Amino acid sequence: LRDGAEEGHWVCLQNVHLVVSWLGVLEKELRSLKPAPSFRLWLTTEPHPRFPPILLQQSLKVTFEAPPGLKKNLQNAYSMWSPSFVGKGSASRAQLLFIVAWFHAVVQERRTFIPQGWSKFHEFSFADLRSTAAIISASDTENPPWETVHGLLDNAIYGGRIDNVFDQRILRTCLQAYYSEAHTSTGGRQARPLPNTQIVVPATNEHAKFLSLINKLPDVDVPALFGLPPNIERVVQQANSSRITAQLKTMATAAVAEGGWDKEGMSQQLKPLLDLWQTLTSGSSVLKPVKKGKVATLPVDVFVAMEAENAHNLINTINKMMTAIASVLRGSELLTTSVRDASVSLAAGLVPPKWSDVWEGPESPALWLQAVVDKTSAIDKWLDSVQTGETLSAPLSLSNMFNPAVFLNALRQQTARQTSVAVDELKLVCQWSGSASVGALPVTITGTVLQGALFGGGLLSEARLDTPTVSPMPPFVIGYIPQSSEDPSPDATSVTLPVYEGLDRSKLLTQLRMPCKNKDQDRWILAGCGIFISPE
């Protein structure tokens, strides 16, 4: 780097996302360099959350990515496959290669619809396409070993890049749908159209005919092509907005930190938050000590007591810091490192790390503070019911808890104690209607929302174009029953859906069965249906 700067060369450092911890050293080095006018430094990197924002701001940025769309993806594949490669085998092999390319395009283009198409970005690449094509070419293309193909693609090639069980389920459903003898004309049968299309794979090994078919495809993909609901564009727009907002906040934090402490500027930026905190806590019981009552012994009662204790500790931590910031801005206290760090985060629109380490909530400090106070108030009311022995008698909203996963575990432990069944021999079930048993400790859950479908008439139904990104769900009852007991929702007429804490699908809470039409499960799996404990 120093030699290149001195002699005016171009220097390229590749894949610096692999050494983000070292990039701080690079920043310091660049500040001390006195480069020749012709010197240029190129850095190549994949997106990384800890890439130094100051280094990004100092750089000219160029993004390289494949053109979007199924059509472009297929054109790219067939531009890399020569006519001789496609034509050197039978028509069955060529048909299978087209299915390989189509499947690869589908799993890649579903990434456009994160977090519903996939819960996160998976690094599917041309290497996966090349490996799958090699497997197909080495197989008996007249009688393909479908089970072997499914296993290799699920466990090694594509599935090896996936770490979410429900994304893995989407992949398996896609494999079953596309890698099937129904879509080839082997054995003289008539090939059926590919899933969600009217396209029948040509029974030929001529490269030009496949390319002609690809060129006739529309330039813009409709969500139904991937089995996704028509209102998913709204989900994508919200996810993109959140991502861009987060990036802007990261840059703002760097700018505020670089600008140093400006008492007048900080006062203007933080006054709305200080006023909000004053409004939220005045006349509220959240600043008072936790009510003490009889000692809790049941697991759920112990959970509520711990939630209340931790909630009030968090409230006190926030209150002390907000009071200290107000005092510093008034000039009645000296600025400390902790006050400065918290002020910089809040001024940049971020929740201070010491607070978010206790509970990861909304990214906006104002919404985060509102949520903390609301949850603490709800837990205080719940604590009152514990003292009267009515802990589980009223409907509960999981979004009112700081640790809903711990609540489910406590409910499971209490059920095991009451029924004398081992904890690991219990399963969580839910009842949407009727009077089926949901265990010794049934709990009514409210406030949940559904994404990817509608729920009415006791069955899942397709979302419409004008359907909101999430739709409210009716109250339902959950409970733990022995593994050997019959589930209220039979396998044949229900689908298991993930339950997430937030709309970004980063925190999986549990899974629940929802009723659907017989043999309709794959439809809702591909639609990316999910349940959320809160609409925010």
Side-chain angles (χ1 to χ4, degrees):
L1 182 67
R2 291 169 182 163
D3 291 346
E6 182 179 345
E7 298 173 15
H9 296 318
W10 285 19
V11 177
C12 179
L13 303 180
Q14 288 185 294
N15 298 325
V16 294
H17 59 280
L18 301 177
V19 287
V20 285
S21 59
W22 172 81
L23 293 180
V25 177
L26 178 62
E27 276 188 58
K28 293 178 183 178
E29 185 66 31
L30 290 175
R31 283 197 294 268
S32 64
L33 285 178
K34 295 182 180 178
S38 59
F39 170 71
R40 296 291 184 274
L41 174 63
W42 290 79
L43 307 176
T44 69
T45 178
E46 293 178 6
H48 196 288
R50 293 194 296 111
F51 197 96
I54 294 176
L55 189 58
L56 278 176
Q57 289 176 327
Q58 292 174 338
S59 305
L60 295 175
K61 291 162 281 292
V62 179
T63 301
F64 173 77
E65 57 186 358
L70 192 87
K71 179 178 179 179
K72 296 289 186 185
N73 202 304
L74 289 167
Q75 287 174 335
N76 187 44
Y78 272 80
S79 69
M80 296 181 182
W81 289 345
S82 65
S84 60
F85 174 76
V86 174
K88 69 180 180 182
S90 64
S92 298
R93 174 182 174 275
Q95 282 186 311
L96 290 171
L97 286 177
F98 184 81
I99 292 173
V100 167
W102 189 279
F103 173 84
H104 181 75
V106 166
V107 297
Q108 280 199 323
E109 296 308 317
R110 280 184 71 99
R111 298 182 304 190
T112 305
F113 304 99
I114 291 172
Q116 195 171 335
W118 299 109
S119 67
K120 59 190 286 189
F121 190 90
H122 300 300
E123 290 287 347
F124 304 129
S125 67
F126 180 71
D128 301 321
L129 177 69
R130 184 174 61 244
S131 299
T132 309
I135 290 171
I136 292 298
S137 297
S139 303
D140 179 3
T141 54
E142 298 302 324
N143 187 24
W146 297 115
E147 188 175 345
T148 301
V149 172
H150 292 166
L152 287 170
L153 270 59
D154 180 20
N155 296 308
I157 297 178
Y158 290 95
R161 304 180 186 276
I162 297 176
D163 57 4
N164 179 293
V165 291
F166 289 96
D167 281 356
Q168 197 87 39
R169 186 174 66 162
I170 290 174
L171 177 67
R172 288 174 186 149
T173 304
C174 288
L175 286 170
Q176 295 288 342
Y178 290 97
Y179 284 96
S180 163
E181 63 181 14
H183 307 305
T184 67
S185 55
T186 54
R189 73 174 66 86
Q190 178 66 37
R192 295 180 187 173
L194 292 170
N196 305 310
T197 74
Q198 297 299 317
I199 295 173
V200 176
V201 183
T204 179
N205 63 355
E206 295 182 36
H207 183 279
K209 289 188 176 180
F210 287 106
L211 198 55
S212 175
L213 174 61
I214 293 169
N215 291 336
K216 293 176 183 177
L217 295 174
D219 293 322
V220 179
D221 300 329
V222 294
L225 188 61
F226 309 102
L228 295 166
N231 68 334
I232 196 172
E233 293 289 353
R234 297 185 183 188
V235 179
V236 174
Q237 289 169 5
Q238 287 185 354
N240 289 340
S241 297
S242 299
R243 177 175 51 81
I244 293 170
T245 301
Q247 292 172 346
L248 291 173
K249 285 181 178 179
T250 302
M251 295 173 68
T253 305
V256 172
E258 197 173 11
W261 176 268
D262 176 12
K263 182 178 176 181
E264 185 176 342
M266 282 289 178
S267 181
Q268 291 178 350
Q269 288 179 291
L270 297 180
K271 187 177 184 304
L273 281 177
L274 294 172
D275 291 344
L276 172 64
W277 182 249
Q278 183 67 30
T279 302
L280 291 173
T281 55
S282 61
S284 173
S285 63
V286 294
L287 291 179
K288 297 178 181 179
V290 180
K291 298 175 185 177
K292 299 296 182 181
K294 63 180 182 181
V295 178
T297 56
L298 295 175
V300 175
D301 292 352
V302 172
F303 163 77
V304 179
M306 290 179 60
E307 278 281 277
E309 188 72 33
N310 293 334
H312 280 266
N313 288 340
L314 177 57
I315 288 283
N316 290 333
T317 299
I318 298 169
N319 192 56
K320 286 180 182 178
M321 181 54 68
M322 297 298 267
T323 302
I325 291 173
S327 299
V328 169
L329 293 177
R330 287 196 306 267
S332 57
E333 286 189 17
L334 294 176
L335 178 66
T336 63
T337 302
S338 59
V339 171
R340 183 188 186 283
D341 291 345
S343 300
V344 167
S345 294
L346 292 170
L350 297 172
V351 178
K354 289 185 178 179
W355 299 357
S356 60
D357 286 346
V358 179
W359 177 63
E360 290 184 29
E363 293 182 355
S364 164
L367 295 177
W368 191 89
L369 292 173
Q370 178 76 60
V372 168
V373 172
D374 290 346
K375 285 175 183 284
T376 304
S377 298
I379 291 168
D380 283 344
K381 291 179 182 177
W382 196 11
L383 188 61
D384 292 338
S385 69
V386 172
Q387 303 304 323
T388 60
E390 299 176 334
T391 309
L392 301 175
S393 59
L396 298 176
S397 173
L398 295 173
S399 63
N400 285 337
M401 306 174 195
F402 286 100
N403 299 287
V406 181
F407 164 71
L408 292 178
N409 191 40
L411 181 64
R412 189 176 192 176
Q413 289 178 354
Q414 189 163 321
T415 304
R417 184 182 299 182
Q418 187 168 325
T419 59
S420 300
V421 177
V423 170
D424 58 357
E425 292 180 5
L426 293 173
K427 62 181 178 181
L428 182 67
V429 296
C430 61
Q431 173 190 330
W432 299 94
S433 61
S435 57
S437 173
V438 287
L441 292 173
V443 179
T444 301
I445 300 297
T446 63
T448 58
V449 294
L450 177 66
Q451 187 176 78
L454 294 173
F455 185 63
L459 291 173
L460 288 171
S461 60
E462 187 172 2
R464 300 181 299 270
L465 184 61
D466 59 349
T467 301
T469 56
V470 293
S471 56
M473 293 173 62
F476 56 93
V477 183
I478 65 169
Y480 282 94
I481 63 174
Q483 297 276 5
S484 57
S485 298
E486 185 179 351
D487 197 301
S489 301
D491 289 351
T493 56
S494 66
V495 59
T496 301
L497 297 185
V499 181
Y500 293 100
E501 291 191 28
L503 295 179
D504 62 355
R505 304 194 182 209
S506 60
K507 280 190 175 182
L508 178 66
L509 179 60
T510 185
Q511 56 188 36
L512 295 173
R513 286 185 176 275
M514 289 197 71
C516 65
K517 291 181 180 179
N518 191 25
K519 297 182 180 179
D520 213 15
Q521 290 86 348
D522 288 354
R523 176 184 181 185
W524 307 118
I525 292 172
L526 292 178
C529 291
I531 302 170
F532 305 90
I533 64 174
S534 168
E536 299 175 352

